[in-house]
Amino acid sequence: MSSGLKIAVLMGGPSSEREVSLMSGRQVAGALRRLGHNVIELDPDEDGILALLTNRPDVVFIALHGRYGEDGCIQGLLELAHIPYTGSGVLASALAMDKIMAKVVFRSLGIPTPEWVTVTRSDAGVGSPCADDALLQVGLPCVVKPSAQGSTVGVTVVRDAESLADAVHLALSYGDQALIEQFVTGTEITVGVLGDSPARALPTLEIVSKKPTYDWEAKYTPGMSEHIIPARVPEEVRAKCQDLAVRAHTALGCRGFSRVDMIATPSGEVQVLEVNTVPGLTAVSLLPDAARAVGISFEQLVQMAVDGALAVHAGRTVE
Protein backbone atom coordinates (compact mmCIF):
# COMPACT_ATOMS: atom_id res chain seq x y z
CA MET A 1 0.00 0.00 0.00
CA SER A 2 1.41 3.38 -1.05
CA SER A 3 1.39 6.18 1.53
CA GLY A 4 2.52 9.78 1.93
CA LEU A 5 1.68 10.68 -1.66
CA LYS A 6 0.83 14.06 -3.09
CA ILE A 7 -2.72 13.48 -4.35
CA ALA A 8 -4.92 15.94 -6.17
CA VAL A 9 -8.64 15.30 -5.74
CA LEU A 10 -10.60 16.68 -8.68
CA MET A 11 -14.12 17.69 -7.71
CA GLY A 12 -16.87 20.10 -8.68
CA GLY A 13 -16.42 21.02 -12.31
CA PRO A 14 -19.00 22.52 -14.69
CA SER A 15 -21.41 19.58 -15.08
CA SER A 16 -24.97 19.32 -13.85
CA GLU A 17 -23.66 16.98 -11.14
CA ARG A 18 -21.33 19.59 -9.65
CA GLU A 19 -22.80 19.60 -6.13
CA VAL A 20 -22.69 15.82 -5.85
CA SER A 21 -19.10 15.84 -7.10
CA LEU A 22 -18.13 18.34 -4.41
CA MET A 23 -19.64 16.05 -1.77
CA SER A 24 -17.83 13.02 -3.18
CA GLY A 25 -14.55 14.88 -3.46
CA ARG A 26 -14.61 16.21 0.09
CA GLN A 27 -15.30 12.75 1.46
CA VAL A 28 -12.45 11.27 -0.61
CA ALA A 29 -10.08 14.06 0.45
CA GLY A 30 -10.87 13.43 4.11
CA ALA A 31 -10.21 9.71 3.73
CA LEU A 32 -6.91 10.33 1.95
CA ARG A 33 -5.75 12.68 4.70
CA ARG A 34 -6.61 10.08 7.33
CA LEU A 35 -4.45 7.67 5.35
CA GLY A 36 -1.51 10.03 5.63
CA HIS A 37 -1.45 11.52 2.14
CA ASN A 38 -0.80 15.15 1.21
CA VAL A 39 -4.07 16.19 -0.41
CA ILE A 40 -4.79 19.08 -2.76
CA GLU A 41 -8.46 19.77 -3.50
CA LEU A 42 -8.95 21.17 -7.00
CA ASP A 43 -12.11 22.38 -8.68
CA PRO A 44 -11.45 22.83 -12.43
CA ASP A 45 -14.36 25.26 -12.65
CA GLU A 46 -12.78 27.61 -10.10
CA ASP A 47 -9.07 26.79 -10.02
CA GLY A 48 -8.61 26.11 -13.74
CA ILE A 49 -7.18 22.95 -15.19
CA LEU A 50 -3.66 24.41 -15.33
CA ALA A 51 -3.56 24.29 -11.52
CA LEU A 52 -3.43 20.53 -11.86
CA LEU A 53 -0.34 20.66 -14.06
CA THR A 54 1.31 23.33 -11.89
CA ASN A 55 0.92 21.28 -8.70
CA ARG A 56 2.09 18.10 -10.47
CA PRO A 57 0.66 15.49 -8.07
CA ASP A 58 1.81 11.89 -7.77
CA VAL A 59 -1.75 10.74 -8.43
CA VAL A 60 -5.05 12.37 -9.39
CA PHE A 61 -8.18 11.04 -7.73
CA ILE A 62 -11.05 11.78 -10.10
CA ALA A 63 -14.22 12.60 -8.18
CA LEU A 64 -15.70 14.60 -11.05
CA HIS A 65 -19.13 13.31 -12.06
CA GLY A 66 -20.71 13.86 -15.42
CA ARG A 67 -19.41 15.80 -18.39
CA TYR A 68 -15.66 16.44 -18.60
CA GLY A 69 -14.93 14.27 -15.55
CA GLU A 70 -16.57 10.98 -16.42
CA ASP A 71 -16.57 11.07 -20.21
CA GLY A 72 -12.88 10.60 -21.02
CA CYS A 73 -11.95 14.29 -21.35
CA ILE A 74 -9.97 14.69 -18.12
CA GLN A 75 -8.59 11.18 -18.55
CA GLY A 76 -7.16 12.16 -21.95
CA LEU A 77 -5.50 15.25 -20.49
CA LEU A 78 -3.92 13.21 -17.71
CA GLU A 79 -2.67 10.63 -20.22
CA LEU A 80 -0.97 13.40 -22.20
CA ALA A 81 0.54 14.81 -18.99
CA HIS A 82 1.71 11.31 -17.87
CA ILE A 83 -0.01 11.69 -14.49
CA PRO A 84 -1.55 8.57 -12.88
CA TYR A 85 -5.28 8.82 -12.23
CA THR A 86 -7.96 6.69 -10.61
CA GLY A 87 -10.67 4.81 -12.42
CA SER A 88 -11.23 3.91 -16.04
CA GLY A 89 -9.26 5.16 -19.02
CA VAL A 90 -10.28 7.33 -21.93
CA LEU A 91 -12.22 4.85 -24.07
CA ALA A 92 -14.02 3.06 -21.24
CA SER A 93 -15.03 6.38 -19.68
CA ALA A 94 -16.37 7.71 -22.98
CA LEU A 95 -18.30 4.52 -23.75
CA ALA A 96 -19.88 4.24 -20.31
CA MET A 97 -20.88 7.90 -20.26
CA ASP A 98 -22.63 7.56 -23.61
CA LYS A 99 -25.64 5.42 -22.68
CA ILE A 100 -26.49 4.71 -26.30
CA MET A 101 -23.01 3.47 -27.24
CA ALA A 102 -22.82 1.42 -24.04
CA LYS A 103 -26.10 -0.29 -24.92
CA VAL A 104 -24.80 -1.00 -28.43
CA VAL A 105 -21.77 -2.72 -26.88
CA PHE A 106 -23.97 -4.64 -24.43
CA ARG A 107 -26.30 -5.83 -27.18
CA SER A 108 -23.39 -6.92 -29.39
CA LEU A 109 -22.01 -9.08 -26.56
CA GLY A 110 -25.28 -10.62 -25.48
CA ILE A 111 -25.63 -8.55 -22.30
CA PRO A 112 -29.38 -7.97 -21.82
CA THR A 113 -30.44 -4.32 -21.86
CA PRO A 114 -33.90 -2.78 -22.35
CA GLU A 115 -35.09 -1.98 -25.88
CA TRP A 116 -34.49 1.62 -26.92
CA VAL A 117 -34.81 4.16 -29.70
CA THR A 118 -32.28 6.96 -30.23
CA VAL A 119 -33.64 10.50 -30.67
CA THR A 120 -31.76 13.54 -31.98
CA ARG A 121 -32.72 17.20 -31.96
CA SER A 122 -33.69 17.01 -35.63
CA ASP A 123 -36.30 14.27 -35.19
CA ALA A 124 -37.80 14.96 -31.74
CA GLY A 125 -41.46 15.37 -30.95
CA VAL A 126 -44.75 13.54 -30.86
CA GLY A 127 -45.98 12.77 -34.35
CA SER A 128 -42.44 12.51 -35.73
CA PRO A 129 -41.40 9.18 -37.26
CA CYS A 130 -38.93 8.65 -34.43
CA ALA A 131 -41.54 9.18 -31.73
CA ASP A 132 -43.94 6.83 -33.51
CA ASP A 133 -41.18 4.22 -33.86
CA ALA A 134 -40.36 4.56 -30.17
CA LEU A 135 -43.91 3.92 -29.06
CA LEU A 136 -44.17 0.93 -31.39
CA GLN A 137 -40.84 -0.53 -30.34
CA VAL A 138 -40.66 0.15 -26.59
CA GLY A 139 -44.29 0.85 -25.71
CA LEU A 140 -45.67 2.70 -22.71
CA PRO A 141 -44.62 3.42 -20.07
CA CYS A 142 -41.12 4.29 -21.24
CA VAL A 143 -38.13 6.18 -19.87
CA VAL A 144 -36.62 9.17 -21.67
CA LYS A 145 -32.99 9.99 -20.82
CA PRO A 146 -30.21 12.26 -22.05
CA SER A 147 -27.51 10.11 -23.63
CA ALA A 148 -24.68 11.53 -21.53
CA GLN A 149 -25.88 12.56 -18.08
CA GLY A 150 -25.96 10.90 -14.67
CA SER A 151 -27.78 11.18 -11.34
CA THR A 152 -31.15 10.94 -13.16
CA VAL A 153 -30.63 14.46 -14.55
CA GLY A 154 -33.14 15.08 -17.34
CA VAL A 155 -34.80 11.67 -16.91
CA THR A 156 -38.59 11.29 -17.24
CA VAL A 157 -40.85 8.27 -16.88
CA VAL A 158 -43.48 8.73 -19.60
CA ARG A 159 -46.84 7.04 -19.08
CA ASP A 160 -48.87 8.51 -21.93
CA ALA A 161 -48.08 9.52 -25.51
CA GLU A 162 -49.04 13.16 -24.89
CA SER A 163 -46.16 13.54 -22.40
CA LEU A 164 -43.49 12.18 -24.72
CA ALA A 165 -42.61 15.41 -26.53
CA ASP A 166 -41.93 17.37 -23.33
CA ALA A 167 -39.81 14.53 -21.94
CA VAL A 168 -37.76 14.33 -25.13
CA HIS A 169 -37.25 18.10 -25.25
CA LEU A 170 -36.07 18.05 -21.63
CA ALA A 171 -33.60 15.25 -22.31
CA LEU A 172 -32.29 16.98 -25.43
CA SER A 173 -31.68 20.19 -23.48
CA TYR A 174 -28.68 18.33 -22.02
CA GLY A 175 -27.15 17.20 -25.31
CA ASP A 176 -27.61 16.29 -28.96
CA GLN A 177 -28.95 12.78 -28.36
CA ALA A 178 -31.44 11.13 -26.04
CA LEU A 179 -32.88 7.66 -25.77
CA ILE A 180 -36.41 6.44 -25.33
CA GLU A 181 -36.07 3.22 -23.39
CA GLN A 182 -38.46 0.43 -22.49
CA PHE A 183 -39.67 0.73 -18.89
CA VAL A 184 -38.80 -2.49 -17.07
CA THR A 185 -40.69 -3.34 -13.90
CA GLY A 186 -38.84 -5.09 -11.11
CA THR A 187 -36.32 -4.74 -8.32
CA GLU A 188 -33.81 -1.93 -8.78
CA ILE A 189 -30.35 -3.35 -8.11
CA THR A 190 -26.84 -1.98 -8.36
CA VAL A 191 -23.62 -3.97 -8.23
CA GLY A 192 -20.21 -2.49 -7.56
CA VAL A 193 -17.24 -3.96 -9.43
CA LEU A 194 -13.62 -3.69 -8.32
CA GLY A 195 -10.47 -4.14 -10.37
CA ASP A 196 -9.90 -5.40 -13.88
CA SER A 197 -7.61 -8.43 -13.84
CA PRO A 198 -9.77 -10.07 -12.85
CA ALA A 199 -12.69 -7.84 -11.94
CA ARG A 200 -14.80 -8.93 -8.98
CA ALA A 201 -18.36 -8.08 -8.06
CA LEU A 202 -19.43 -6.71 -4.70
CA PRO A 203 -22.73 -7.91 -3.19
CA THR A 204 -26.01 -6.97 -4.82
CA LEU A 205 -27.58 -3.84 -3.38
CA GLU A 206 -31.31 -3.26 -3.67
CA ILE A 207 -32.48 0.35 -3.84
CA VAL A 208 -35.80 1.21 -2.22
CA SER A 209 -36.78 4.81 -2.87
CA LYS A 210 -39.31 6.65 -0.73
CA LYS A 211 -40.32 8.52 -3.88
CA PRO A 212 -42.03 7.01 -6.94
CA THR A 213 -38.72 7.22 -8.84
CA TYR A 214 -35.14 7.09 -7.58
CA ASP A 215 -34.47 10.73 -8.49
CA TRP A 216 -31.92 13.32 -7.37
CA GLU A 217 -33.67 13.99 -4.04
CA ALA A 218 -34.03 10.28 -3.26
CA LYS A 219 -30.37 9.65 -4.11
CA TYR A 220 -28.73 12.42 -2.14
CA THR A 221 -31.04 13.19 0.78
CA PRO A 222 -30.36 11.05 3.87
CA GLY A 223 -33.40 8.96 4.74
CA MET A 224 -35.05 9.25 1.30
CA SER A 225 -33.89 5.81 0.15
CA GLU A 226 -32.96 2.49 1.71
CA HIS A 227 -30.08 0.24 0.67
CA ILE A 228 -30.69 -3.47 1.24
CA ILE A 229 -27.70 -5.83 1.01
CA PRO A 230 -28.01 -8.42 -0.39
CA ALA A 231 -30.93 -7.64 -2.68
CA ARG A 232 -34.19 -9.40 -1.83
CA VAL A 233 -34.21 -11.64 -4.88
CA PRO A 234 -33.49 -15.37 -5.21
CA GLU A 235 -29.85 -16.41 -4.85
CA GLU A 236 -29.64 -17.43 -8.51
CA VAL A 237 -30.79 -13.94 -9.53
CA ARG A 238 -28.17 -12.35 -7.28
CA ALA A 239 -25.52 -14.49 -8.94
CA LYS A 240 -26.83 -13.47 -12.37
CA CYS A 241 -26.67 -9.78 -11.38
CA GLN A 242 -23.07 -10.10 -10.21
CA ASP A 243 -22.06 -11.98 -13.36
CA LEU A 244 -23.68 -9.39 -15.62
CA ALA A 245 -22.07 -6.55 -13.67
CA VAL A 246 -18.60 -7.99 -14.25
CA ARG A 247 -19.43 -8.68 -17.91
CA ALA A 248 -20.66 -5.10 -18.45
CA HIS A 249 -17.62 -3.63 -16.63
CA THR A 250 -15.29 -5.78 -18.73
CA ALA A 251 -17.14 -5.19 -22.01
CA LEU A 252 -16.54 -1.45 -21.75
CA GLY A 253 -12.94 -1.89 -20.60
CA CYS A 254 -13.47 -0.39 -17.15
CA ARG A 255 -10.84 -0.56 -14.42
CA GLY A 256 -10.42 0.51 -10.80
CA PHE A 257 -14.06 0.47 -9.80
CA SER A 258 -17.47 0.93 -11.36
CA ARG A 259 -21.11 0.56 -10.41
CA VAL A 260 -23.54 -1.25 -12.69
CA ASP A 261 -27.26 -0.44 -12.48
CA MET A 262 -29.86 -3.04 -13.45
CA ILE A 263 -33.41 -4.25 -13.00
CA ALA A 264 -34.33 -7.78 -11.91
CA THR A 265 -37.82 -8.67 -13.14
CA PRO A 266 -40.29 -10.80 -11.17
CA SER A 267 -39.63 -13.67 -13.61
CA GLY A 268 -35.92 -13.67 -12.73
CA GLU A 269 -34.61 -11.90 -15.85
CA VAL A 270 -32.01 -9.15 -15.40
CA GLN A 271 -31.66 -6.09 -17.63
CA VAL A 272 -28.53 -3.93 -17.46
CA LEU A 273 -29.24 -0.20 -17.59
CA GLU A 274 -25.85 1.51 -17.41
CA VAL A 275 -22.32 1.53 -15.99
CA ASN A 276 -21.02 4.37 -13.81
CA THR A 277 -17.23 4.74 -13.99
CA VAL A 278 -17.06 7.50 -11.36
CA PRO A 279 -19.78 6.38 -8.95
CA GLY A 280 -20.88 8.57 -6.08
CA LEU A 281 -18.62 8.57 -3.03
CA THR A 282 -20.81 10.60 -0.68
CA ALA A 283 -22.10 9.66 2.77
CA VAL A 284 -25.24 8.14 1.18
CA SER A 285 -23.65 6.57 -1.91
CA LEU A 286 -24.13 3.01 -3.08
CA LEU A 287 -20.63 1.74 -3.87
CA PRO A 288 -19.18 2.47 -0.40
CA ASP A 289 -22.17 0.73 1.20
CA ALA A 290 -21.63 -2.40 -0.89
CA ALA A 291 -17.91 -2.39 -0.10
CA ARG A 292 -18.57 -2.10 3.64
CA ALA A 293 -20.79 -5.18 3.39
CA VAL A 294 -17.69 -7.26 2.59
CA GLY A 295 -15.44 -5.54 5.13
CA ILE A 296 -13.87 -2.88 2.90
CA SER A 297 -13.87 0.46 4.69
CA PHE A 298 -14.20 3.74 2.83
CA GLU A 299 -10.52 4.44 3.46
CA GLN A 300 -9.56 1.05 2.08
CA LEU A 301 -11.73 1.59 -0.99
CA VAL A 302 -10.06 4.93 -1.67
CA GLN A 303 -6.58 3.51 -1.12
CA MET A 304 -7.33 0.62 -3.49
CA ALA A 305 -8.22 3.15 -6.19
CA VAL A 306 -4.94 5.01 -5.64
CA ASP A 307 -2.86 1.83 -5.69
CA GLY A 308 -4.64 0.70 -8.85
CA ALA A 309 -3.88 4.02 -10.56
CA LEU A 310 -0.17 3.70 -9.72
CA ALA A 311 -0.09 0.10 -10.94
CA VAL A 312 -1.68 1.02 -14.27
CA HIS A 313 0.70 3.94 -14.73
CA ALA A 314 3.72 1.78 -13.92
CA GLY A 315 2.65 -0.64 -16.64
CA ARG A 316 1.78 2.25 -18.99
CA THR A 317 -1.45 0.58 -19.96
CA VAL A 318 -2.99 2.56 -22.81
CA GLU A 319 -6.59 2.07 -23.98
Side-chain angles (χ1 to χ4, degrees), residues 9-23:
V9 179
L10 287 183
M11 65 181 82
S15 84
S16 57
E17 298 176 72
R18 173 180 172 78
E19 293 306 314
V20 179
S21 173
L22 289 170
M23 290 190 286

Side-chain angles (χ1 to χ4, degrees), residues 228-239:
I228 299 172
I229 305 172
R232 296 172 298 180
V233 294
E235 181 56 41
E236 61 269 23
V237 177
R238 292 180 203 155

Side-chain angles (χ1 to χ4, degrees), residues 210-242:
K210 295 188 178 178
K211 299 191 69 182
T213 57
Y214 187 52
D215 61 9
W216 183 286
E217 182 183 6
K219 286 183 177 183
Y220 302 116
T221 305
M224 290 299 293
S225 64
E226 184 180 0
H227 302 168
I228 299 172
I229 305 172
R232 296 172 298 180
V233 294
E235 181 56 41
E236 61 269 23
V237 177
R238 292 180 203 155
K240 187 184 296 186
C241 288
Q242 290 177 300

Side-chain angles (χ1 to χ4, degrees), residues 257-314:
F257 52 58
S258 73
R259 200 194 74 236
V260 183
D261 298 336
M262 56 192 72
I263 299 289
T265 70
S267 65
E269 297 301 313
V270 178
Q271 297 282 323
V272 174
L273 302 178
E274 61 183 87
V275 176
N276 302 272
T277 55
V278 186
L281 296 167
T282 72
V284 293
S285 291
L286 303 163
L287 181 69
D289 263 7
R292 277 191 290 271
V294 291
I296 300 173
S297 69
F298 188 76
E299 287 77 11
Q300 288 172 314
L301 183 66
V302 166
Q303 185 66 57
M304 288 167 65
V306 170
D307 291 340
L310 292 172
V312 168
H313 188 73

Side-chain angles (χ1 to χ4, degrees), residues 34-122:
R34 291 191 294 274
L35 289 163
H37 298 295
N38 175 21
V39 179
I40 306 162
E41 298 180 22
L42 290 177
D43 179 350
D45 211 34
E46 294 185 355
D47 303 314
I49 204 64
L50 290 180
L52 178 63
L53 305 179
T54 302
N55 282 280
R56 197 67 195 184
D58 297 313
V59 184
V60 169
F61 197 111
I62 299 175
L64 290 169
H65 302 311
R67 194 176 180 190
Y68 302 122
E70 204 166 349
D71 60 0
C73 288
I74 193 66
Q75 290 81 3
L77 174 66
L78 294 169
E79 290 281 356
L80 289 171
H82 302 295
I83 299 175
Y85 58 91
T86 59
S88 294
V90 178
L91 179 58
S93 299
L95 281 173
M97 189 66 186
D98 188 326
K99 294 179 177 65
I100 294 168
M101 288 308 301
K103 286 170 75 71
V104 169
V105 173
F106 296 157
R107 182 63 57 86
S108 72
L109 294 175
I111 296 170
T113 189
E115 291 288 341
W116 81 96
V117 170
T118 300
V119 190
T120 66
R121 285 177 175 165
S122 63

